[in-house]
Amino acid sequence: MQTAFRELKEETGLEPVRLIEENPIIEEYGYQKDFQVIEKKVCYYIVLVKGSAEIQIGEILDGGWFSLDEAYEKITYPESKKTCLEVQKRLKKNL
């Protein structure tokens, strides 16, 4: 978890304060690149942070900060929409 916290700080300028829930939200999907299917598994952790967010050009291509409702509307992939709903559910449970 320390590596993830360090990366969060380096890539966004946000300092982790507290892990909200130890169990990650897992998102799995596949995509095609160069005629090959790439399977991807991403683990998301919900973390309380402090500081001002800074998007580092070169590390992140594009980004923005949105409420969960706004994020849900902007998300185009069905699996990511499910992840957003799961974040909302867990935040309501843990905060």
Side-chain angles (χ1 to χ4, degrees):
M1 189 58 59
Q2 294 302 325
T3 301
F5 280 6
R6 186 181 66 249
E7 286 293 313
L8 177 66
K9 175 79 171 152
E10 287 175 7
E11 292 186 15
T12 67
L14 296 170
E15 186 174 333
V17 173
R18 178 173 62 94
L19 183 63
I20 302 295
E21 187 173 313
E22 288 189 23
N23 296 323
I25 298 168
I26 298 172
E27 185 176 300
E28 296 182 89
Y29 59 92
Y31 63 93
Q32 190 167 341
K33 181 178 180 181
D34 299 328
F35 305 104
Q36 193 174 24
V37 175
I38 309 295
E39 297 294 327
K40 188 119 174 163
K41 179 179 180 179
V42 182
C43 298
Y44 295 97
Y45 291 90
I46 303 171
V47 178
L48 180 65
V49 297
K50 68 178 180 180
S52 296
E54 303 166 7
I55 295 175
Q56 289 186 0
I57 307 304
E59 287 288 329
I60 301 171
L61 295 177
D62 191 15
W65 299 103
F66 307 98
S67 70
L68 287 171
D69 290 335
E70 290 171 319
Y72 184 84
E73 293 303 317
K74 290 183 176 292
I75 293 169
T76 56
Y77 296 106
E79 191 65 28
S80 295
K81 281 189 175 283
K82 288 182 202 173
T83 298
C84 187
L85 292 174
E86 183 63 23
V87 169
Q88 289 176 322
K89 179 179 151 189
R90 291 187 188 195
L91 284 173
K92 285 179 184 173
K93 178 180 137 191
N94 290 298
L95 292 181

Coordinates of all heavy atoms in Angstrom, one line a residue:
M1 N 0.8 -1.2 0.0 CA 0.0 0.0 0.0 C 0.9 1.3 0.0 O 0.5 2.3 -0.6 CB -0.9 0.0 1.2 CG -2.0 1.0 1.2 SD -3.1 1.1 -0.2 CE -3.8 -0.5 -0.1
Q2 N 2.0 1.2 0.6 CA 2.9 2.3 0.6 C 3.3 2.8 -0.8 O 3.4 4.0 -1.0 CB 4.2 2.0 1.5 CG 3.9 1.8 3.0 CD 3.2 3.0 3.6 OE1 3.5 4.1 3.2 NE2 2.3 2.8 4.5
T3 N 3.5 1.8 -1.7 CA 3.9 2.2 -3.0 C 2.8 2.9 -3.7 O 3.0 3.9 -4.4 CB 4.2 0.9 -3.8 OG1 5.3 0.2 -3.2 CG2 4.6 1.2 -5.3
A4 N 1.5 2.5 -3.5 CA 0.4 3.1 -4.1 C 0.2 4.5 -3.5 O -0.1 5.5 -4.3 CB -0.9 2.3 -3.8
F5 N 0.4 4.7 -2.2 CA 0.3 6.0 -1.6 C 1.4 7.0 -2.2 O 1.1 8.1 -2.5 CB 0.5 5.9 -0.1 CG -0.8 5.5 0.6 CD1 -1.9 5.1 -0.1 CD2 -0.9 5.5 2.0 CE1 -3.1 4.7 0.6 CE2 -2.0 5.1 2.7 CZ -3.1 4.7 2.0
R6 N 2.6 6.4 -2.4 CA 3.7 7.3 -2.9 C 3.4 7.7 -4.3 O 3.5 8.8 -4.7 CB 5.0 6.5 -2.9 CG 6.2 7.4 -3.3 CD 7.5 6.6 -3.2 NE 7.6 5.5 -4.2 CZ 7.6 4.2 -3.9 NH1 7.6 3.8 -2.7 NH2 7.6 3.3 -4.9
E7 N 2.9 6.8 -5.1 CA 2.5 7.1 -6.5 C 1.4 8.1 -6.6 O 1.4 9.0 -7.4 CB 2.1 5.8 -7.3 CG 3.2 4.9 -7.6 CD 4.1 5.5 -8.7 OE1 3.6 6.0 -9.7 OE2 5.3 5.5 -8.5
L8 N 0.4 8.0 -5.7 CA -0.7 8.9 -5.6 C -0.1 10.3 -5.4 O -0.5 11.3 -6.1 CB -1.7 8.5 -4.5 CG -2.8 9.5 -4.3 CD1 -3.8 9.6 -5.5 CD2 -3.6 9.1 -3.1
K9 N 0.8 10.5 -4.4 CA 1.4 11.7 -4.1 C 2.2 12.3 -5.3 O 2.1 13.5 -5.6 CB 2.3 11.6 -2.8 CG 3.0 12.8 -2.4 CD 2.2 13.8 -1.7 CE 3.1 14.9 -1.2 NZ 2.4 16.2 -1.0
E10 N 3.0 11.4 -5.9 CA 3.8 11.9 -7.0 C 3.0 12.3 -8.2 O 3.4 13.2 -8.9 CB 4.8 10.7 -7.4 CG 5.9 10.5 -6.4 CD 6.8 9.3 -6.8 OE1 6.6 8.7 -7.9 OE2 7.6 8.9 -6.0
E11 N 2.0 11.6 -8.5 CA 1.2 11.8 -9.8 C 0.1 12.8 -9.6 O -0.3 13.3 -10.6 CB 0.7 10.5 -10.3 CG 1.8 9.6 -10.8 CD 1.3 8.3 -11.5 OE1 0.2 8.3 -11.8 OE2 2.1 7.4 -11.6
T12 N -0.3 13.1 -8.4 CA -1.5 14.0 -8.3 C -1.2 15.2 -7.3 O -1.9 16.1 -7.3 CB -2.7 13.3 -7.8 OG1 -2.5 12.8 -6.4 CG2 -3.1 12.2 -8.7
G13 N -0.2 15.0 -6.4 CA 0.1 16.0 -5.4 C -0.8 15.8 -4.2 O -0.7 16.6 -3.2
L14 N -1.7 14.9 -4.2 CA -2.5 14.6 -3.1 C -1.8 13.7 -2.1 O -1.2 12.7 -2.4 CB -3.8 13.9 -3.6 CG -4.7 14.8 -4.5 CD1 -5.8 14.0 -5.1 CD2 -5.2 16.0 -3.7
E15 N -2.0 14.0 -0.8 CA -1.4 13.2 0.3 C -2.4 12.3 0.9 O -3.4 12.8 1.4 CB -0.8 14.1 1.3 CG 0.0 13.4 2.3 CD 0.7 14.3 3.3 OE1 1.0 15.5 2.9 OE2 1.0 13.9 4.4
P16 N -2.2 11.0 0.9 CA -3.1 10.1 1.5 C -3.2 10.3 3.0 O -2.1 10.5 3.7 CB -2.6 8.7 1.2 CG -1.7 8.9 0.0 CD -1.1 10.3 0.2
V17 N -4.4 10.3 3.6 CA -4.6 10.5 5.0 C -5.0 9.2 5.6 O -4.5 8.8 6.6 CB -5.6 11.6 5.3 CG1 -6.0 11.7 6.8 CG2 -5.2 12.9 4.7
R18 N -6.0 8.5 5.0 CA -6.5 7.3 5.5 C -7.1 6.4 4.5 O -7.9 6.9 3.6 CB -7.6 7.7 6.6 CG -8.3 6.5 7.2 CD -9.2 6.9 8.3 NE -10.3 7.8 7.9 CZ -11.6 7.3 7.6 NH1 -11.8 6.0 7.7 NH2 -12.5 8.2 7.3
L19 N -6.9 5.2 4.5 CA -7.5 4.2 3.7 C -8.9 4.0 4.2 O -9.1 3.7 5.3 CB -6.7 2.9 3.7 CG -7.2 1.7 2.8 CD1 -7.0 2.1 1.4 CD2 -6.3 0.5 3.1
I20 N -9.9 4.2 3.3 CA -11.3 4.1 3.7 C -11.7 2.6 3.9 O -12.4 2.3 4.8 CB -12.3 4.8 2.7 CG1 -11.9 6.2 2.5 CG2 -13.7 4.6 3.1 CD1 -12.1 7.1 3.8
E21 N -11.3 1.8 3.0 CA -11.6 0.4 3.1 C -10.4 -0.4 2.5 O -9.9 -0.1 1.5 CB -12.9 0.1 2.2 CG -13.4 -1.3 2.4 CD -14.7 -1.5 1.7 OE1 -15.6 -0.7 1.9 OE2 -14.9 -2.5 1.0
E22 N -10.1 -1.5 3.2 CA -8.9 -2.3 2.7 C -9.2 -3.1 1.5 O -8.2 -3.4 0.7 CB -8.5 -3.2 3.9 CG -7.8 -2.4 5.0 CD -7.2 -3.3 6.0 OE1 -6.8 -4.5 5.7 OE2 -7.0 -2.9 7.2
N23 N -10.4 -3.5 1.3 CA -10.7 -4.3 0.1 C -10.8 -3.5 -1.1 O -11.6 -2.6 -1.2 CB -12.0 -5.1 0.3 CG -12.0 -6.1 1.4 OD1 -10.9 -6.7 1.6 ND2 -13.0 -6.2 2.2
P24 N -10.0 -3.8 -2.2 CA -10.0 -3.0 -3.4 C -11.3 -3.3 -4.2 O -11.9 -4.3 -4.1 CB -8.8 -3.4 -4.1 CG -8.6 -4.8 -3.7 CD -9.0 -4.8 -2.3
I25 N -11.6 -2.3 -5.0 CA -12.6 -2.5 -6.1 C -11.8 -3.0 -7.3 O -10.9 -2.3 -7.7 CB -13.4 -1.3 -6.4 CG1 -14.1 -0.8 -5.2 CG2 -14.3 -1.5 -7.6 CD1 -14.7 0.6 -5.3
I26 N -12.2 -4.2 -7.8 CA -11.4 -4.7 -8.9 C -12.2 -4.6 -10.2 O -13.3 -5.0 -10.3 CB -11.0 -6.2 -8.6 CG1 -10.2 -6.3 -7.4 CG2 -10.4 -6.9 -9.8 CD1 -9.9 -7.7 -6.9
E27 N -11.5 -4.1 -11.2 CA -12.1 -3.9 -12.5 C -11.2 -4.7 -13.5 O -10.0 -4.5 -13.6 CB -12.0 -2.4 -12.9 CG -12.7 -2.0 -14.2 CD -12.7 -0.5 -14.4 OE1 -13.3 0.2 -13.6 OE2 -12.2 -0.1 -15.4
E28 N -11.9 -5.5 -14.3 CA -11.2 -6.4 -15.3 C -11.8 -6.1 -16.6 O -13.0 -6.0 -16.8 CB -11.3 -7.8 -14.9 CG -10.6 -8.2 -13.6 CD -10.7 -9.6 -13.3 OE1 -9.8 -10.4 -13.7 OE2 -11.6 -10.0 -12.6
Y29 N -11.0 -6.0 -17.6 CA -11.4 -5.7 -19.0 C -10.3 -6.1 -20.0 O -9.2 -6.4 -19.6 CB -11.8 -4.3 -19.2 CG -10.7 -3.3 -19.0 CD1 -9.9 -2.8 -20.0 CD2 -10.5 -2.8 -17.7 CE1 -8.9 -1.9 -19.8 CE2 -9.5 -1.8 -17.4 CZ -8.7 -1.4 -18.5 OH -7.7 -0.5 -18.3
G30 N -10.7 -6.2 -21.2 CA -9.7 -6.5 -22.2 C -9.8 -5.6 -23.4 O -10.9 -4.9 -23.6
Y31 N -8.8 -5.4 -24.1 CA -8.8 -4.6 -25.3 C -7.8 -5.2 -26.3 O -7.0 -6.0 -26.0 CB -8.4 -3.1 -25.0 CG -7.0 -2.9 -24.4 CD1 -6.0 -2.6 -25.3 CD2 -6.8 -3.0 -23.1 CE1 -4.7 -2.4 -24.7 CE2 -5.5 -2.8 -22.5 CZ -4.5 -2.5 -23.4 OH -3.2 -2.3 -22.9
Q32 N -7.9 -4.7 -27.6 CA -7.1 -5.3 -28.6 C -6.0 -4.3 -29.0 O -6.3 -3.1 -29.2 CB -7.9 -5.6 -29.8 CG -7.2 -6.4 -30.9 CD -8.1 -7.0 -31.9 OE1 -9.2 -7.2 -31.7 NE2 -7.5 -7.4 -33.0
K33 N -4.8 -4.7 -29.1 CA -3.7 -3.9 -29.6 C -2.8 -4.8 -30.5 O -2.4 -5.9 -30.1 CB -2.9 -3.4 -28.3 CG -1.7 -2.5 -28.7 CD -1.0 -2.0 -27.5 CE 0.1 -1.1 -27.9 NZ 0.9 -0.6 -26.7
D34 N -2.5 -4.2 -31.6 CA -1.7 -5.0 -32.6 C -2.1 -6.4 -32.8 O -1.3 -7.3 -32.7 CB -0.2 -4.9 -32.1 CG 0.4 -3.6 -32.0 OD1 -0.1 -2.7 -32.8 OD2 1.2 -3.3 -31.1
F35 N -3.4 -6.6 -33.0 CA -4.0 -7.9 -33.3 C -3.9 -8.9 -32.1 O -4.0 -10.1 -32.3 CB -3.5 -8.5 -34.6 CG -3.6 -7.6 -35.7 CD1 -2.5 -6.9 -36.2 CD2 -4.8 -7.4 -36.4 CE1 -2.6 -6.1 -37.3 CE2 -4.9 -6.6 -37.5 CZ -3.8 -5.9 -37.9
Q36 N -3.7 -8.3 -30.9 CA -3.6 -9.2 -29.7 C -4.5 -8.7 -28.7 O -4.7 -7.5 -28.5 CB -2.2 -9.1 -29.2 CG -1.8 -10.2 -28.2 CD -0.3 -10.1 -27.9 OE1 0.3 -9.1 -28.1 NE2 0.2 -11.2 -27.4
V37 N -5.2 -9.6 -28.0 CA -6.1 -9.2 -26.9 C -5.3 -9.0 -25.6 O -4.6 -9.9 -25.2 CB -7.3 -10.2 -26.7 CG1 -8.1 -9.8 -25.5 CG2 -8.1 -10.2 -28.0
I38 N -5.4 -7.9 -25.0 CA -4.7 -7.6 -23.8 C -5.7 -7.6 -22.6 O -6.7 -6.9 -22.7 CB -4.0 -6.2 -23.8 CG1 -3.2 -6.0 -25.0 CG2 -3.3 -5.9 -22.5 CD1 -2.0 -6.9 -25.1
E39 N -5.5 -8.5 -21.7 CA -6.4 -8.5 -20.5 C -5.8 -7.7 -19.4 O -4.6 -7.7 -19.1 CB -6.5 -10.0 -20.0 CG -7.1 -10.9 -21.0 CD -8.6 -10.6 -21.2 OE1 -9.3 -10.2 -20.3 OE2 -9.0 -10.8 -22.4
K40 N -6.6 -6.9 -18.8 CA -6.2 -5.9 -17.8 C -7.0 -6.1 -16.5 O -8.2 -6.3 -16.5 CB -6.3 -4.5 -18.3 CG -5.7 -3.5 -17.5 CD -4.7 -2.7 -18.3 CE -4.2 -1.6 -17.5 NZ -3.1 -1.0 -17.8
K41 N -6.3 -6.0 -15.3 CA -6.9 -6.1 -14.0 C -6.4 -4.8 -13.2 O -5.2 -4.7 -13.1 CB -6.6 -7.3 -13.3 CG -7.1 -7.5 -11.9 CD -6.8 -8.8 -11.3 CE -7.3 -9.0 -9.9 NZ -7.0 -10.3 -9.3
V42 N -7.4 -4.0 -12.8 CA -7.0 -2.8 -12.1 C -7.7 -2.9 -10.7 O -8.8 -3.2 -10.6 CB -7.5 -1.5 -12.8 CG1 -7.1 -0.3 -12.1 CG2 -7.0 -1.5 -14.2
C43 N -6.9 -2.6 -9.6 CA -7.4 -2.5 -8.3 C -7.5 -1.1 -7.8 O -6.5 -0.4 -7.9 CB -6.5 -3.3 -7.3 SG -6.3 -5.0 -7.8
Y44 N -8.7 -0.7 -7.4 CA -8.9 0.7 -6.9 C -9.1 0.6 -5.4 O -9.8 -0.2 -4.9 CB -10.2 1.3 -7.5 CG -10.1 1.5 -9.0 CD1 -10.6 0.6 -9.9 CD2 -9.5 2.6 -9.5 CE1 -10.6 0.8 -11.3 CE2 -9.4 2.8 -10.9 CZ -10.0 1.9 -11.8 OH -9.9 2.1 -13.1
Y45 N -8.4 1.6 -4.7 CA -8.6 1.7 -3.3 C -9.2 3.1 -3.0 O -8.8 4.1 -3.6 CB -7.2 1.6 -2.6 CG -6.6 0.2 -2.6 CD1 -5.8 -0.2 -3.7 CD2 -6.9 -0.7 -1.6 CE1 -5.3 -1.4 -3.7 CE2 -6.4 -2.0 -1.7 CZ -5.6 -2.3 -2.7 OH -5.0 -3.6 -2.8
I46 N -10.1 3.1 -2.1 CA -10.7 4.4 -1.7 C -9.9 5.0 -0.6 O -9.8 4.3 0.5 CB -12.2 4.2 -1.3 CG1 -13.0 3.5 -2.5 CG2 -12.9 5.5 -0.9 CD1 -14.4 3.1 -2.1
V47 N -9.4 6.2 -0.8 CA -8.5 6.8 0.2 C -9.0 8.3 0.4 O -9.3 9.0 -0.5 CB -7.1 6.8 -0.4 CG1 -6.1 7.5 0.6 CG2 -6.6 5.4 -0.7
L48 N -9.0 8.6 1.7 CA -9.2 10.0 2.1 C -7.8 10.7 1.9 O -6.8 10.3 2.3 CB -9.6 10.1 3.6 CG -9.8 11.5 4.1 CD1 -11.0 12.2 3.4 CD2 -10.1 11.4 5.6
V49 N -7.9 11.9 1.2 CA -6.6 12.6 0.8 C -6.7 14.1 1.3 O -7.8 14.6 1.6 CB -6.4 12.6 -0.7 CG1 -6.1 11.1 -1.1 CG2 -7.5 13.2 -1.5
K50 N -5.6 14.7 1.3 CA -5.5 16.2 1.6 C -4.6 16.8 0.6 O -3.7 16.1 0.0 CB -5.1 16.5 3.0 CG -3.7 16.1 3.4 CD -3.4 16.5 4.8 CE -1.9 16.2 5.1 NZ -1.6 16.5 6.5
G51 N -4.7 18.1 0.4 CA -3.8 18.8 -0.5 C -4.5 19.3 -1.8 O -5.7 19.1 -1.9
S52 N -3.8 19.9 -2.7 CA -4.3 20.4 -3.9 C -3.9 19.4 -5.0 O -2.7 19.1 -5.2 CB -3.8 21.8 -4.2 OG -4.2 22.7 -3.2
A53 N -4.8 19.0 -5.9 CA -4.5 18.1 -7.0 C -3.8 18.8 -8.1 O -4.1 19.9 -8.5 CB -5.8 17.5 -7.5
E54 N -2.8 18.1 -8.6 CA -2.0 18.6 -9.7 C -1.9 17.5 -10.7 O -1.4 16.4 -10.3 CB -0.6 19.1 -9.3 CG -0.6 20.1 -8.2 CD 0.7 20.3 -7.5 OE1 1.7 19.6 -8.0 OE2 0.8 21.0 -6.5
I55 N -2.3 17.7 -11.9 CA -2.1 16.6 -12.9 C -0.8 16.9 -13.6 O -0.5 17.9 -14.2 CB -3.3 16.7 -13.9 CG1 -4.6 16.3 -13.2 CG2 -3.0 15.7 -15.1 CD1 -5.8 16.4 -14.1
Q56 N 0.1 15.9 -13.6 CA 1.4 16.0 -14.2 C 1.3 15.6 -15.6 O 1.1 14.4 -15.9 CB 2.4 15.1 -13.4 CG 2.7 15.5 -12.1 CD 3.8 14.7 -11.5 OE1 4.3 13.7 -12.1 NE2 4.2 15.0 -10.3
I57 N 1.6 16.5 -16.5 CA 1.6 16.2 -17.9 C 2.8 15.3 -18.1 O 3.9 15.5 -17.6 CB 1.8 17.5 -18.7 CG1 0.7 18.5 -18.4 CG2 1.8 17.2 -20.2 CD1 -0.7 18.1 -18.5
G58 N 2.7 14.2 -18.9 CA 3.7 13.3 -19.1 C 3.4 12.0 -18.3 O 3.7 10.9 -18.7
E59 N 2.8 12.1 -17.1 CA 2.4 11.0 -16.3 C 0.9 10.6 -16.6 O 0.5 9.5 -16.7 CB 2.5 11.2 -14.8 CG 3.9 11.3 -14.3 CD 4.6 9.9 -14.3 OE1 3.9 8.9 -14.1 OE2 5.8 9.8 -14.5
I60 N 0.1 11.7 -16.8 CA -1.3 11.5 -17.1 C -1.7 12.3 -18.3 O -1.4 13.5 -18.4 CB -2.1 12.0 -15.8 CG1 -1.7 11.2 -14.6 CG2 -3.6 11.9 -16.1 CD1 -2.3 11.7 -13.3
L61 N -2.3 11.7 -19.3 CA -2.6 12.4 -20.5 C -3.7 13.4 -20.4 O -3.6 14.5 -21.0 CB -3.1 11.3 -21.6 CG -2.1 10.3 -22.0 CD1 -2.7 9.3 -23.0 CD2 -0.8 11.0 -22.7
D62 N -4.7 13.2 -19.6 CA -5.8 14.1 -19.4 C -6.5 13.7 -18.1 O -6.5 12.6 -17.7 CB -6.7 14.1 -20.6 CG -7.7 15.2 -20.6 OD1 -7.5 16.2 -19.9 OD2 -8.7 15.1 -21.3
G63 N -7.1 14.7 -17.5 CA -7.8 14.4 -16.3 C -8.6 15.6 -15.8 O -8.5 16.7 -16.3
G64 N -9.5 15.3 -14.8 CA -10.3 16.3 -14.2 C -10.9 15.8 -12.9 O -10.8 14.6 -12.6
W65 N -11.4 16.7 -12.1 CA -12.0 16.3 -10.8 C -13.5 16.5 -10.9 O -14.0 17.6 -11.3 CB -11.4 17.1 -9.7 CG -9.9 16.8 -9.6 CD1 -8.9 17.6 -10.0 CD2 -9.3 15.6 -9.1 NE1 -7.7 17.0 -9.9 CE2 -7.9 15.8 -9.3 CE3 -9.8 14.4 -8.6 CZ2 -7.0 14.8 -8.9 CZ3 -8.9 13.4 -8.2 CH2 -7.5 13.6 -8.4
F66 N -14.3 15.5 -10.6 CA -15.7 15.5 -10.7 C -16.4 14.9 -9.5 O -15.8 14.0 -8.9 CB -16.2 14.7 -12.0 CG -15.5 15.1 -13.2 CD1 -14.4 14.4 -13.7 CD2 -15.9 16.2 -14.0 CE1 -13.7 14.8 -14.9 CE2 -15.2 16.6 -15.1 CZ -14.1 15.9 -15.6
S67 N -17.6 15.3 -9.3 CA -18.4 14.5 -8.3 C -18.6 13.1 -8.8 O -18.5 12.9 -10.1 CB -19.8 15.2 -8.1 OG -20.6 15.1 -9.2
L68 N -19.0 12.2 -8.0 CA -19.2 10.8 -8.5 C -20.4 10.8 -9.5 O -20.3 10.0 -10.4 CB -19.5 9.9 -7.3 CG -18.3 9.6 -6.5 CD1 -18.6 8.8 -5.2 CD2 -17.3 8.8 -7.3
D69 N -21.4 11.6 -9.3 CA -22.5 11.7 -10.2 C -22.1 12.2 -11.6 O -22.4 11.6 -12.6 CB -23.7 12.5 -9.7 CG -24.4 11.9 -8.5 OD1 -24.4 10.7 -8.4 OD2 -25.0 12.6 -7.7
E70 N -21.2 13.2 -11.6 CA -20.7 13.7 -12.9 C -19.8 12.7 -13.5 O -19.8 12.5 -14.7 CB -19.9 15.0 -12.6 CG -20.8 16.2 -12.2 CD -19.9 17.4 -11.8 OE1 -18.9 17.2 -11.1 OE2 -20.3 18.5 -12.2
A71 N -19.0 12.1 -12.7 CA -18.0 11.1 -13.3 C -18.8 9.9 -13.9 O -18.5 9.5 -15.0 CB -17.2 10.5 -12.1
Y72 N -19.9 9.5 -13.3 CA -20.7 8.4 -13.8 C -21.2 8.8 -15.2 O -21.2 8.0 -16.1 CB -21.8 8.1 -12.9 CG -22.7 6.9 -13.3 CD1 -22.3 5.6 -13.1 CD2 -23.8 7.1 -14.1 CE1 -23.0 4.5 -13.5 CE2 -24.5 6.0 -14.5 CZ -24.1 4.7 -14.3 OH -24.8 3.6 -14.7
E73 N -21.7 10.0 -15.4 CA -22.2 10.5 -16.6 C -21.1 10.6 -17.7 O -21.4 10.3 -18.9 CB -22.9 11.8 -16.5 CG -24.1 11.8 -15.7 CD -25.2 10.8 -16.2 OE1 -25.4 10.8 -17.4 OE2 -25.8 10.1 -15.4
K74 N -19.9 10.9 -17.3 CA -18.8 11.0 -18.3 C -18.2 9.6 -18.7 O -17.6 9.5 -19.8 CB -17.7 11.9 -17.7 CG -18.1 13.3 -17.6 CD -17.0 14.2 -17.1 CE -17.4 15.7 -17.1 NZ -17.5 16.2 -18.4
I75 N -18.3 8.7 -17.8 CA -17.6 7.4 -18.1 C -18.4 6.7 -19.2 O -19.6 6.7 -19.3 CB -17.7 6.5 -16.8 CG1 -16.8 7.1 -15.7 CG2 -17.3 5.0 -17.1 CD1 -17.0 6.5 -14.3
T76 N -17.6 6.1 -20.1 CA -18.2 5.4 -21.3 C -18.1 3.9 -21.2 O -18.9 3.3 -21.9 CB -17.4 5.9 -22.6 OG1 -16.0 5.6 -22.5 CG2 -17.6 7.4 -22.8
Y77 N -17.2 3.3 -20.5 CA -17.1 1.9 -20.4 C -18.0 1.3 -19.3 O -18.0 1.8 -18.2 CB -15.7 1.5 -20.1 CG -14.7 1.8 -21.2 CD1 -13.8 2.9 -21.0 CD2 -14.7 1.2 -22.4 CE1 -12.9 3.2 -22.0 CE2 -13.8 1.5 -23.4 CZ -13.0 2.5 -23.2 OH -12.1 2.9 -24.2
P78 N -18.8 0.3 -19.7 CA -19.8 -0.3 -18.7 C -19.1 -0.8 -17.4 O -19.6 -0.6 -16.3 CB -20.4 -1.4 -19.5 CG -20.3 -1.1 -20.9 CD -19.0 -0.3 -21.0
E79 N -17.9 -1.4 -17.5 CA -17.2 -1.9 -16.3 C -16.8 -0.8 -15.4 O -16.9 -0.8 -14.2 CB -16.0 -2.7 -16.7 CG -15.4 -3.5 -15.6 CD -16.3 -4.6 -15.0 OE1 -17.1 -5.2 -15.8 OE2 -16.1 -4.9 -13.8
S80 N -16.4 0.4 -16.0 CA -16.0 1.5 -15.2 C -17.2 2.2 -14.6 O -17.1 2.7 -13.5 CB -15.3 2.5 -16.1 OG -14.1 2.0 -16.5
K81 N -18.4 2.2 -15.2 CA -19.6 2.7 -14.6 C -19.9 1.9 -13.4 O -20.3 2.4 -12.3 CB -20.8 2.6 -15.6 CG -20.7 3.8 -16.6 CD -22.0 3.8 -17.4 CE -22.1 5.0 -18.3 NZ -22.4 6.3 -17.7
K82 N -19.8 0.5 -13.4 CA -20.0 -0.3 -12.3 C -19.1 0.0 -11.1 O -19.4 0.0 -10.0 CB -19.8 -1.8 -12.6 CG -20.9 -2.4 -13.5 CD -20.6 -3.9 -13.7 CE -21.3 -4.4 -15.0 NZ -20.8 -5.8 -15.3
T83 N -17.8 0.3 -11.5 CA -16.8 0.7 -10.5 C -17.2 2.0 -9.8 O -17.2 2.1 -8.6 CB -15.4 0.9 -11.1 OG1 -15.0 -0.4 -11.7 CG2 -14.4 1.3 -10.1
C84 N -17.7 2.9 -10.5 CA -18.1 4.2 -10.0 C -19.3 4.0 -9.0 O -19.3 4.6 -7.9 CB -18.5 5.2 -11.1 SG -18.9 6.8 -10.5
L85 N -20.3 3.2 -9.4 CA -21.4 2.9 -8.5 C -20.9 2.2 -7.2 O -21.4 2.4 -6.1 CB -22.4 2.0 -9.2 CG -23.2 2.7 -10.3 CD1 -24.1 1.7 -11.1 CD2 -24.0 3.9 -9.8
E86 N -19.9 1.3 -7.3 CA -19.4 0.6 -6.2 C -18.7 1.6 -5.2 O -18.8 1.4 -4.0 CB -18.4 -0.5 -6.6 CG -17.9 -1.4 -5.5 CD -18.9 -2.1 -4.7 OE1 -20.0 -2.4 -5.2 OE2 -18.7 -2.5 -3.5
V87 N -18.0 2.5 -5.8 CA -17.3 3.6 -4.9 C -18.4 4.3 -4.2 O -18.3 4.5 -2.9 CB -16.5 4.5 -5.8 CG1 -16.1 5.8 -5.0 CG2 -15.3 3.8 -6.4
Q88 N -19.5 4.7 -4.8 CA -20.6 5.4 -4.1 C -21.1 4.6 -3.0 O -21.3 5.1 -1.9 CB -21.7 5.8 -5.1 CG -21.3 6.9 -6.1 CD -22.4 7.1 -7.1 OE1 -23.0 6.2 -7.6 NE2 -22.5 8.4 -7.5
K89 N -21.4 3.3 -3.3 CA -21.9 2.4 -2.3 C -21.0 2.3 -1.0 O -21.4 2.4 0.1 CB -22.1 1.0 -2.9 CG -22.7 0.0 -2.0 CD -22.8 -1.3 -2.8 CE -22.7 -2.5 -1.9 NZ -22.6 -3.8 -2.7
R90 N -19.7 2.1 -1.3 CA -18.7 1.9 -0.2 C -18.5 3.2 0.6 O -18.3 3.2 1.8 CB -17.4 1.4 -0.7 CG -17.5 0.0 -1.3 CD -16.2 -0.5 -1.6 NE -16.3 -1.8 -2.3 CZ -15.2 -2.6 -2.5 NH1 -14.0 -2.3 -2.0 NH2 -15.4 -3.8 -3.1
L91 N -18.6 4.4 -0.1 CA -18.4 5.6 0.6 C -19.6 5.8 1.6 O -19.4 6.3 2.7 CB -18.3 6.8 -0.3 CG -16.9 6.9 -1.0 CD1 -17.0 8.0 -2.1 CD2 -15.8 7.2 0.0
K92 N -20.8 5.5 1.1 CA -22.0 5.7 2.0 C -21.9 4.8 3.2 O -22.3 5.1 4.3 CB -23.2 5.4 1.2 CG -23.6 6.4 0.2 CD -24.9 6.1 -0.6 CE -25.2 7.2 -1.6 NZ -26.3 6.8 -2.5
K93 N -21.3 3.6 3.0 CA -21.2 2.6 4.1 C -20.1 3.0 5.1 O -20.3 2.8 6.3 CB -20.8 1.2 3.5 CG -20.6 0.1 4.5 CD -20.3 -1.1 3.7 CE -19.1 -1.8 4.4 NZ -18.6 -2.9 3.7
N94 N -19.0 3.6 4.6 CA -17.9 3.9 5.5 C -17.7 5.3 6.0 O -16.8 5.5 6.8 CB -16.6 3.4 4.7 CG -16.5 1.9 4.6 OD1 -16.5 1.2 5.6 ND2 -16.6 1.4 3.4
L95 N -18.4 6.2 5.5 CA -18.2 7.6 5.9 C -19.4 8.1 6.7 O -20.5 7.7 6.7 CB -18.0 8.6 4.7 CG -16.7 8.4 4.0 CD1 -16.6 9.4 2.8 CD2 -15.5 8.5 4.9

